[in-house]
Amino acid sequence: MVFLKEKIRELVAKAATQKFPGELLDIKVEYPGDPSHGDYSSNVALDLGKKMKMNPRALAQELAQMIQKPEWIEKIETAGAGFLNFYLAPKFFEDFLDEVKKAGDDYGKSEVGKGKTVVTDTSHPNVAKPMGVHHLLSTIIGNAISRILAAVGYTVVRDNYLGDYGTQFGKLLYAYKTWGDEATVKKDPIPELLKLYVKFHEEVEKDEQLEDKGRAEFKKLEQGDAQNRKLWKWVVELSLQEFQKIWDRLDVSFDFIHGESFYEDKMQAIVDMGTSRGIFVKGEKGALIAPLKDPNIPPCIIQKSDGASLYATRDLARIQYWEETWHPVLMLNVVDMAQELYFRQLFEVTGMLKLTEARNLHIAFGRMRFPEKRMSTRKGDIILLEELLDEAQALALKIVEEKNPDLPAAAKKEVAKKVGVGSVKYAVLAQNRLTDVTFTWDKMLSLEGNSAPYLQYAYARAKSILRKGSEKRSGKMALLHEPAELALARLLPKFPEVVALSAAEFKPNLIANYLFELASRFSSFYAACDVLNAEPEVREARLKLVEAFTVVTKNGLKLLGIQVNEEM
C-alpha cells in the first residue's frame, strides 16, 4: 500500500530538487491541526528558506507552481510563513471508497516491516498470585503493539516471560510446607496460595530469619530437590489454568509461554561467558556483578553470593535465546516504567556481552490509579483483574438494558461483554502509555465521550444504516460535496498512515485518537446528511461512505484488541 502522505512527499521532493539540485533535502509531510488548512501539509519552504536565505513564503508559492498536481489533489495552497497545504479532490473518493470495501479486513495493513521479525514479551504474571489490574497494562498494551506491528508486515513472536521462578517462590514453598493444606489449595488454588504468600510476609515481621529460610527453599529448588520441584510444577500448572481464563476474556494469546524457569539450564553459559571475558567480577560479600560505564548507575547483580540466580541472569539468557532462535530486529519488553533503571542495566550488559544486534527496547508504561485504593500483593490488598472485568460487564449490561430493552437476553450479555472488556482496554490504550491512567467508570462507559462504547455505538449505528439501505442501492454514485461528507471522507485515507506511525512509535493511543476523531466526524455527518432518503446517486455515495467508515472503525478497534457489535 502506497501512503498518500508518501506520494505527496515525493511530489514536493521532485519540485524542491528541481529548484535546488544537489541539495540534501529532509522533507516532512504532516497533518494540519486545522482541517480547513487541507489534508496534508509541508513546511519544506520554511526549512529551505532558512537554509538558502530566501523568503519562505515566496519560496512556498514558487514550489506550489512547480509541483505537478495529480488529479487526486484538488488544490495546493500556501499559508502562513511558508506552508504548503494539499487538499484531496472530491473525485478521488469515487474509486477510493470502493477500494476500502474491497480491501475489507486488510485495509490499513502495509508491508513496512516485511521480512523482519519482532519478539515481544508481555503480561508475565507471577505464578501462585492472582492477576491484578497491574498486569492489565502490560497484557493489553503489549497485545495491541503486537497486533499493530503484525499489521505493518512484521513477523511477530508473542512470548510471555512468566514469573515462575525466583526467591519469591522459595518463600511460597516454605509457607506451603509450614501452613499449607493440599486439599484446601486444590479447591481454590490461587486465592489459597496468595493467603500463604501473605502469611509468610506477616510472619517475617515477627521473625526476620524466615527470609533466609525462604531463600534456602529456592536454593533447594534450583539444585533439583525432588519435593520442591514437584510442588513447583504443580503450582505452575494450577496458575496457568487460572491465567488462561483471564487471557481468553481479554482476547489475548501468545505464541510461547517461556517462563523464567525455561532458562534454568541456559544461565550458566551466560555466567561463564561474562566471567571469562572479565565483564562479571566479584562484588561485595562475594556476589557476581557487572560494573557499568556510568558511575551513577549501580552495577548489575548477576548472581547472589550463595550462587542463586537473579532476574538479570535469566533475562540475559532470554535475550540470547531470542537471538539464536528468531534473529529479530526488535526485542520489546513491555514492562512498568518503574523498571527503567533495571532495563538500562540489562541492555548495557547485553551490549557488553554482544548477545544481539537487535534493538532491545523497554516499552514502558505508567500505572493504573484507583482513588483511595492501593495494590500490594505482599499485604494481600490487590484489585483483582477478574473482578474488574466482572464489574465492567455488569455495568455495561445495565447500559445495554437501558438503551435497548428489546434485545434478546443472550444478545444483551454478548454486547455487554464486548462493551465492558472494550471499555477497560480503551481506557488504557487511548492515553499515551507513559502517563498514569486514573480509572473512572463514568468516563470509561460513556456513550458520549472518548470511550470504547462511543466508538462501538457509532459502528453499530452505521451498520444499522447499511442494513436499512441494502435494498436501496443504485450502483451509480454522485460526488461527495457536502462539508460533513467530505470531512468524514478525508480522514479515511489516513488510517494506514496512522497505523504505520503507531507501529513506529509503539503508541496504540495514536490509533485510538484517530478512531475517536473519525467517530466524531461520523456523528456530525449522521446529523447533517440524510442517507436513506437522499436522491439515489447521493444515497449510494453516502452508503459507500458509511460502509468505508465501518471497515476502518472495525479494523482500528481490532488492532486495539476491541470487538465491535453489529447492534447495541
Side-chain angles (χ1 to χ4, degrees):
M1 178 177 291
V2 179
F3 302 150
L4 292 186
K5 180 185 277 191
E6 181 58 25
K7 285 187 175 183
I8 290 172
R9 196 198 69 78
E10 290 173 358
L11 291 172
V12 176
K14 184 176 181 180
T17 301
Q18 289 175 348
K19 176 67 178 174
F20 303 106
E23 284 295 324
L24 186 62
L25 304 174
D26 181 21
I27 296 172
K28 298 181 179 65
V29 176
E30 305 293 345
Y31 305 130
D34 185 342
S36 67
H37 293 164
D39 300 296
Y40 297 90
S41 179
S42 176
N43 67 348
V44 63
L46 288 168
D47 291 342
L48 282 174
K50 183 178 181 180
K51 184 177 181 180
M52 309 305 293
K53 298 181 179 179
M54 296 178 63
N55 183 306
R57 186 171 178 80
L59 179 56
Q61 292 171 344
E62 186 176 353
L63 289 174
Q65 294 296 319
M66 294 175 65
I67 292 173
Q68 298 178 15
K69 182 172 71 66
E71 64 176 7
W72 48 272
I73 291 180
E74 180 182 24
K75 60 183 178 180
I76 304 171
E77 291 184 345
T78 59
F83 287 92
L84 286 168
N85 294 334
F86 298 81
Y87 296 77
L88 296 178
K91 188 169 178 57
F92 164 78
F93 298 103
E94 193 171 20
D95 294 327
F96 170 75
L97 296 178
D98 285 328
E99 291 174 8
V100 174
K101 178 183 177 181
K102 184 178 179 181
D105 293 346
D106 290 331
Y107 183 66
K109 295 181 179 180
S110 63
E111 297 186 344
V112 173
K114 185 177 181 181
K116 300 174 183 177
T117 298
V118 179
V119 188
T120 61
D121 162 44
T122 67
S123 194
H124 37 251
N126 292 317
V127 299
K129 300 177 186 177
M131 288 182 71
V133 293
H134 52 296
H135 294 113
L136 176 69
L137 276 72
S138 174
T139 303
I140 63 174
I141 291 173
N143 178 62
I145 289 174
S146 295
R147 289 172 182 250
I148 293 164
L149 289 170
V152 298
Y154 286 97
T155 297
V156 180
V157 179
R158 298 166 172 84
D159 201 354
N160 186 336
Y161 189 42
L162 192 70
D164 64 354
Y165 219 53
T167 303
Q168 76 277 4
F169 208 90
K171 296 174 182 179
L172 180 64
L173 287 173
Y174 178 85
Y176 179 80
K177 288 180 177 182
T178 307
W179 307 294
D181 175 73
E182 183 178 352
T184 304
V185 172
K186 279 185 176 180
K187 188 175 180 180
D188 199 8
I190 300 300
E192 290 302 323
L193 290 170
L194 177 61
K195 287 179 184 178
L196 291 170
Y197 186 75
V198 171
K199 182 173 178 60
F200 178 88
H201 285 278
E202 289 174 345
E203 294 299 321
V204 163
E205 293 179 5
K206 304 173 188 175
D207 181 4
E208 293 182 359
Q209 291 184 353
L210 289 185
E211 289 281 6
D212 293 333
K213 293 180 179 179
R215 283 191 283 269
E217 290 293 344
F218 176 62
K219 181 68 175 176
K220 286 167 62 179
L221 175 65
E222 280 199 302
Q223 293 175 338
D225 178 83
Q227 182 186 16
N228 279 12
R229 293 197 73 82
K230 183 179 179 181
L231 282 173
W232 166 72
K233 288 180 179 179
W234 177 58
V235 171
V236 170
E237 183 180 330
L238 291 175
S239 300
L240 278 172
Q241 291 172 3
E242 296 301 308
F243 295 157
Q244 192 60 54
K245 295 174 185 177
I246 301 294
W247 292 328
D248 288 344
R249 288 184 72 175
L250 291 171
D251 191 22
V252 168
S253 61
F254 305 97
D255 299 306
F256 300 95
I257 298 180
H258 287 144
E260 294 180 59
S261 63
F262 178 77
Y263 301 98
E264 182 183 12
D265 61 352
K266 301 171 179 60
M267 292 184 288
Q268 191 58 47
I270 292 292
V271 173
D272 293 343
M273 181 193 303
T275 303
S276 65
R277 295 180 187 177
I279 296 169
F280 300 162
V281 298
K282 290 289 183 179
E284 287 185 34
K285 298 180 181 179
L288 197 62
I289 64 172
L292 306 180
K293 295 177 182 178
D294 188 340
N296 296 315
I297 300 178
C300 184
I301 304 175
I302 304 299
Q303 197 175 62
K304 294 181 181 180
S305 57
D306 64 359
S309 62
L310 289 134
Y311 285 123
T313 331
R314 298 185 281 278
D315 262 330
L316 291 168
R318 172 181 62 82
I319 290 169
Q320 183 179 51
Y321 177 81
W322 280 9
E323 171 60 35
E324 293 176 349
T325 307
W326 296 298
H327 311 293
V329 298
L330 277 172
M331 297 182 179
L332 304 183
N333 308 268
V334 187
V335 182
D336 189 322
M337 60 169 40
Q339 299 299 317
E340 180 183 2
L341 174 60
Y342 169 72
F343 279 104
R344 287 174 64 189
Q345 295 173 314
L346 179 68
F347 296 160
E348 184 170 335
V349 176
T350 298
M352 293 160 64
L353 293 172
K354 298 182 180 178
L355 296 180
T356 180
E357 293 184 3
R359 288 176 65 203
N360 212 330
L361 302 178
H362 173 204
I363 306 301
F365 53 82
R367 297 273 177 101
M368 223 171 175
R369 305 237 177 246
F370 291 76
E372 299 181 0
K373 286 190 177 181
R374 298 173 61 194
M375 292 177 288
S376 171
T377 310
R378 290 189 174 190
K379 296 295 183 182
D381 179 17
I382 182 173
I383 301 173
L384 299 179
L385 182 49
E386 185 176 22
E387 292 178 357
L388 179 75
L389 297 177
D390 287 344
E391 188 170 355
Q393 287 183 213
L395 292 172
L397 183 59
K398 289 182 180 180
I399 294 173
V400 174
E401 288 175 336
E402 178 185 331
K403 298 293 182 182
N404 196 348
D406 297 329
L407 202 63
K412 286 179 183 176
K413 287 185 178 180
E414 184 61 25
V415 170
K417 176 183 175 183
K418 293 177 181 179
V419 171
V421 174
S423 68
V424 171
K425 288 185 174 184
Y426 192 84
V428 174
L429 298 174
Q431 297 194 54
N432 185 316
R433 58 180 167 78
L434 295 175
T435 61
D436 289 343
V437 179
T438 300
F439 201 93
T440 53
W441 287 115
D442 289 345
K443 181 179 179 182
M444 285 172 50
L445 290 166
S446 173
L447 287 170
E448 298 176 355
N450 187 8
S451 66
Y454 177 74
L455 301 181
Q456 291 168 317
Y457 185 67
Y459 174 86
R461 176 182 281 175
K463 293 296 284 188
S464 176
I465 293 172
L466 294 174
R467 285 193 296 271
K468 293 175 182 176
S470 61
E471 296 179 0
K472 298 182 178 182
R473 307 301 290 259
S474 65
K476 295 181 179 181
M477 63 176 281
L479 288 180
L480 300 175
H481 65 281
E482 293 289 342
E485 294 173 336
L486 290 171
L488 175 59
R490 291 181 189 284
L491 266 184
L492 298 172
K494 297 177 182 178
F495 178 57
E497 300 165 355
V498 171
V499 174
L501 181 61
S502 177
E505 297 189 1
F506 313 110
K507 289 183 177 179
N509 67 296
L510 298 180
I511 293 176
N513 295 342
Y514 167 86
L515 292 176
F516 176 58
E517 184 179 1
L518 186 70
S520 298
R521 291 197 188 184
F522 173 76
S523 296
S524 298
F525 158 77
Y526 180 81
C529 302
D530 191 332
V531 177
L532 299 177
N533 297 316
E535 293 296 319
E537 292 186 6
V538 174
R539 179 174 65 235
E540 182 64 21
R542 291 176 178 173
L543 284 170
K544 286 188 175 182
L545 179 59
V546 172
E547 198 163 30
F549 165 77
T550 63
V551 169
V552 173
T553 301
K554 181 180 180 180
N555 291 355
L557 286 174
K558 185 177 181 180
L559 291 177
L560 301 181
I562 297 172
Q563 298 178 338
V564 294
N565 293 291
E566 297 299 306
E567 58 181 332
M568 283 178 66

